[in-house]
Amino acid sequence: QVQLLESGGGLVQAGGSLILSCAASGGIFRKYAMGWFRQVPGKEREFVAAISWSDDSTYYADSVKGRFAISRDNAKNTVYLQMNRLQPEDTAVYYCAARYGPPVHVWTQFDYWGQGTQVTVSS
């Protein structure tokens, strides 16, 4: 069993930056692919970024490519999402997720989830 604890959400102005953290416990962190998803009311959960457990390859949604960066620190069992040049359309609840094996882009393929953290970007 893997438990995920997120932190770092908040309110920022458009053009600003924010970093989210997700601390994992209860599993072998190095073998898990980690992902970030986001969701707004009335919409389906959306893929944001993912990172491989094997070679740290990263993957991004087109909407955030070049602005967001996912990374992991296996010694600390923590994954990060650095968000730069934030825009109002980035406003959502952000979820950290984990799955055993390679990364995927579909939220239903992830096994473990954090509680979600609110990110609000003002105009």
Side-chain angles (χ1 to χ4, degrees):
Q1 185 67 246
V2 174
Q3 295 82 43
L4 305 176
L5 182 60
E6 300 171 333
S7 62
L11 174 65
V12 297
Q13 293 182 333
S17 297
L18 199 65
I19 185 167
L20 306 182
S21 299
C22 175
S25 63
I28 303 175
F29 183 76
R30 188 174 180 86
K31 294 185 179 295
Y32 283 82
M34 304 296 296
W36 288 96
F37 294 79
R38 64 188 183 186
Q39 190 169 25
V40 299
K43 294 186 178 180
E44 189 172 326
R45 192 163 298 184
E46 177 187 22
F47 171 77
V48 176
I51 186 166
S52 172
W53 67 266
S54 59
D55 59 1
D56 286 347
S57 297
T58 57
Y59 308 89
Y60 298 95
D62 289 341
S63 59
V64 305
K65 191 174 299 181
R67 298 189 298 121
F68 291 10
I70 187 172
S71 62
R72 68 192 300 164
D73 185 340
N74 290 338
K76 299 175 66 175
N77 293 338
T78 301
V79 64
Y80 305 94
L81 184 67
Q82 177 68 54
M83 302 183 292
N84 300 317
R85 301 191 301 279
L86 284 160
Q87 301 299 316
E89 58 264 32
D90 296 316
T91 295
V93 177
Y94 283 71
Y95 296 92
C96 175
R99 74 182 301 271
Y100 188 78
V104 296
H105 294 57
V106 182
W107 70 269
T108 55
Q109 298 298 307
F110 281 76
D111 303 307
Y112 307 101
W113 293 87
Q115 78 286 354
T117 185
Q118 177 71 47
V119 173
T120 302
V121 185
S122 64
S123 300

